[in-house]
């Protein structure tokens, strides 16, 4: 039976989502997931909803953003479905379709992290945090300025940052790779080749 | 004369003994996990392990890179595989997240010729190519398999007798199963600790999640998971915890006081990299092993062994 064009086919075609059709809805993944209670729909249910074609509900929910990629579900799944891979595929697809969940901050942090890497070839915690908080600030300023200034409470993060800084565990300067041109060219080409 | 004749022989013997690897430090190595990088280099010589840093490596992308298209994420991680392949050495990393990201990308590129062809089209823009078939290995696995417990035990100059250690493996060292240790109840680090003369304590949470990078955006959730792990170590009377991952170390060490406060608990458990404890047993000085980089003080716990 061909399922081309369906949502389940779209998930299956992202690397990581290949085995979705093997799921027998046993619930082992949900029972193993340390973060299930935070998720709009726990892992087993999300897989069910994908099969039922509930694309918007799934891509806009918070589930994949609460997945810590601990792979406990993947290690235990009796059908080798690799639910972690499905979570990763959903994160990618929700960004592709601009349906990213608005209530969690994780996608903002992840995008800031990726932007730093695209630019430098290396991660930089300090730079990434700054970027993420600036974006959150602007978003809040546009919707609710009072909330934006509530972000002043972030100063309570300073002692934590300082505890790392004084031990040389939080460099202020970002590291960059040498062949940034080559690196950026690889990324540009990968992007132009489209979704894998 | 005799000395001159024996020198080349000695050198050849040394070359045979020293095994070389392409070392992939990962971004934490010079930042939050700086003590890992320092202690790793310190034990390298003592164990006959030559860690050649992979020239111009880039960040593997790890979990957050899934917000991009998967092909881009695969190429970002894959660039490192291509660089290592040119060298022809196994790629070794001490970070669980790098280990899984590089390992999984390696599996995909090696087993899927279509995907590899597409990735190579992109990699060609940086004059690189990956043919597949390289080995991605975790430092802990290299140490226990290539060097071995007996060899290590024979090199111990300072037995860590009486030290009670909780071995924390985290998630991505053994899951998904990339062929090293048990996914639910791993043993390799415990055996290593015993080879050093120390004791291990039962530790049910040894392979449960510390929340990894979710700690940045979901601190409440993270502090809950971190607390469960620390509480479990405390309940089992551990003097310290050891880890094989800079993310795990950061979460259990730097967030310990927050986790304690939020959950109204009371613990004070230093969190070391396994390389630091190993180095100490091999007789390397405390300073060379960067114990001072820990946020939770190690002074009391280490005092009997200095
Ligand atoms: S454990 Fe596997 S088979 Fe069972 S519900 Fe989850 S994905 Fe489906
Ligand atoms: S990998 Fe993600 S979905 Fe699976 S058990 Fe862990 S947190 Fe839950």
């Amino acid at each position: 039976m061909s399922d081309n064009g369906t949502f389940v086919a779209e998930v299956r075609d992202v690397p990581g989502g290949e085995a979705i059709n093997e799921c027998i809805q046993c619930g082992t993944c949900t029972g193993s997931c340390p973060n299930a209670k935070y998720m709009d729909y726990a892992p087993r249910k999300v897989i069910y909803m994908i099969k039922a074609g509930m694309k918007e509900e799934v891509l806009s929910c918070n589930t994949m953003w609460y997945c810590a990629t601990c792979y406990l579900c993947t290690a235990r799944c009796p059908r080798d479905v690799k639910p972690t891979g499905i979570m990763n595929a959903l994160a990618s697809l929700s960004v592709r379709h601009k349906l990213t969940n608005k209530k969690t901050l994780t996608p903002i942090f992840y995008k800031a992290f990726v932007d730093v890497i695209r630019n430098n070839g290396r991660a930089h915690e300090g730079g990434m945090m700054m970027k993420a908080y600036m974006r959150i600030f602007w978003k809040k300023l546009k919707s609710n300025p009072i909330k934006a200034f509530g972000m002043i409470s972030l100063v309570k993060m300073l002692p934590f940052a300082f505890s790392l800084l004084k031990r040389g565990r939080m460099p202020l300067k970002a590291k960059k790779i040498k062949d940034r041109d080559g690196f950026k060219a690889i990324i540009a080409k990968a992007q132009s080749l489209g979704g894998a | 004369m005799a000395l001159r004749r024996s020198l080349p022989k000695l050198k050849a013997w040394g070359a045979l003994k020293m095994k070389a690897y392409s070392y992939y430090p990962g971004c934490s190595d010079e930042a939050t996990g700086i003590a890992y990088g320092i202690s790793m280099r310190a034990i390298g010589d003592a164990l006959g392990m030559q860690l050649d840093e992979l020239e111009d490596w880039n960040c593997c992308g790890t979990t957050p890179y899934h917000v991009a298209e998967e092909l881009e994420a695969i190429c970002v991680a894959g660039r490192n595989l291509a660089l290592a392949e040119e060298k022809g050495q196994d790629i070794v990393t001490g970070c669980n997240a790098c280990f899984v990201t590089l390992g999984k990308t390696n599996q995909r590129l090696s087993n899927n010729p279509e995907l590899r062809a597409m990735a190579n089209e992109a990699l060609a823009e940086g004059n690189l190519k990956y043919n597949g078939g390289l080995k991605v290995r975790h430092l802990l696995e290299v140490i226990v398999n290539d060097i071995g417990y007996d060899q290590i035990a024979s090199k111990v100059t300072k037995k860590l007798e009486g030290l009670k250690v909780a071995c924390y493996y985290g998630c991505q060292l053994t899951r998904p199963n990339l062929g090293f240790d048990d996914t639910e109840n791993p043993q390799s680090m415990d055996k290593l600790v015993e080879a050093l003369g120390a004791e291990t304590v039962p530790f049910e949470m040894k392979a449960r999640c510390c929340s990894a990078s979710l700690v940045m955006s979901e601190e409440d959730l993270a502090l809950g998971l971190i607390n469960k792990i620390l509480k479990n170590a405390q309940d089992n009377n551990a003097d310290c915890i050891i880890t094989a991952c800079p993310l795990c170390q950061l979460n259990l060490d730097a967030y310990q006081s927050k986790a304690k406060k939020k959950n109204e608990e009371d613990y004070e458990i230093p969190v070391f990299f396994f390389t630091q404890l190993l180095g100490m047993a091999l007789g390397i000085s405390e300073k060379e092993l960067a114990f001072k980089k820990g946020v939770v003080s190690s002074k009391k716990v280490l005092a009997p062994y200095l």
Side-chain angles (χ1 to χ4, degrees), chain A residues 19-20 22-32 43-45 47 51 73-74 76-83 86:
Chain A
I20 186 161
E22 300 300 316
C23 176
I24 51 167
Q25 290 289 300
C26 71
T28 303
C29 47
T30 295
S32 306
R44 179 204 60 81
K45 190 160 183 186
I47 293 171
K51 289 187 159 188
C73 53
T74 294
R76 289 179 178 171
C77 171
R79 300 282 294 170
D80 212 9
V81 171
K82 301 190 169 65
I86 293 173

Side-chain angles (χ1 to χ4, degrees), chain A residues 32-35 39 43 66-73 84 87:
Chain A
S32 306
C33 182
N35 299 338
M39 296 171 170
Y66 279 99
C67 169
T69 51
C70 78
Y71 290 96
L72 204 52
C73 53
T84 318
M87 294 294 166

Side-chain angles (χ1 to χ4, degrees), chain A residues 73-126:
Chain A
C73 53
T74 294
R76 289 179 178 171
C77 171
R79 300 282 294 170
D80 212 9
V81 171
K82 301 190 169 65
T84 318
I86 293 173
M87 294 294 166
N88 295 337
L90 291 180
S92 186
L93 287 175
S94 88
V95 175
R96 186 194 291 175
H97 292 290
K98 301 193 170 58
L99 287 169
T100 314
N101 182 278
K102 297 283 180 292
K103 287 199 184 112
T104 145
L105 297 179
T106 304
I108 299 178
F109 278 88
Y110 283 7
K111 279 186 205 158
F113 181 89
V114 167
D115 283 348
V116 173
I117 296 170
R118 279 180 179 147
N119 212 21
N120 299 342
R122 293 277 180 89
H124 180 237
E125 235 128 58

Side-chain angles (χ1 to χ4, degrees), chain A residues 34-195:
Chain A
N35 299 338
K37 66 174 183 216
Y38 292 90
M39 296 171 170
D40 286 339
Y41 317 110
R44 179 204 60 81
K45 190 160 183 186
V46 130
I47 293 171
Y48 178 81
M49 291 168 73
I50 297 169
K51 289 187 159 188
M54 300 166 77
K55 183 168 170 172
E56 280 205 20
E57 291 90 333
V58 168
L59 293 185
S60 61
C61 81
N62 72 10
T63 300
M64 50 286 207
W65 307 110
Y66 279 99
C67 169
T69 51
C70 78
Y71 290 96
L72 204 52
C73 53
T74 294
R76 289 179 178 171
C77 171
R79 300 282 294 170
D80 212 9
V81 171
K82 301 190 169 65
T84 318
I86 293 173
M87 294 294 166
N88 295 337
L90 291 180
S92 186
L93 287 175
S94 88
V95 175
R96 186 194 291 175
H97 292 290
K98 301 193 170 58
L99 287 169
T100 314
N101 182 278
K102 297 283 180 292
K103 287 199 184 112
T104 145
L105 297 179
T106 304
I108 299 178
F109 278 88
Y110 283 7
K111 279 186 205 158
F113 181 89
V114 167
D115 283 348
V116 173
I117 296 170
R118 279 180 179 147
N119 212 21
N120 299 342
R122 293 277 180 89
H124 180 237
E125 235 128 58
M128 184 260 308
M129 296 288 252
M130 284 293 284
K131 237 184 207 228
Y133 282 120
M134 280 313 282
R135 270 179 212 172
I136 296 165
F137 179 76
W138 285 119
K139 271 197 180 162
K140 286 195 170 164
L141 200 63
K142 271 192 259 167
S143 62
N144 183 348
I146 296 172
K147 261 197 180 164
F149 288 99
M151 279 179 71
I152 195 94
S153 66
L154 278 175
V155 293
K156 68 176 194 275
M157 275 181 58
L158 286 177
F160 172 78
F162 189 67
S163 74
L164 292 176
L165 203 66
K166 74 173 178 206
R167 290 178 176 83
R169 292 175 66 174
M170 199 180 252
L172 294 175
K173 203 164 168 276
K175 296 253 178 204
K176 294 179 179 176
I177 60 167
K178 281 186 221 130
D179 186 19
R180 281 202 301 289
D181 292 343
F183 183 70
K184 285 180 184 174
I186 291 171
I187 288 181
K189 186 71 186 181
Q191 287 172 343
S192 79
L193 289 170

Side-chain angles (χ1 to χ4, degrees), chain B residues 59-78:
Chain B
C59 171
C60 71
T62 177
T63 300
Y65 223 101
H66 289 295
V67 297
E69 290 293 340
E70 287 290 325
L71 182 65
E72 184 187 336
I74 286 168
C75 290
V76 165

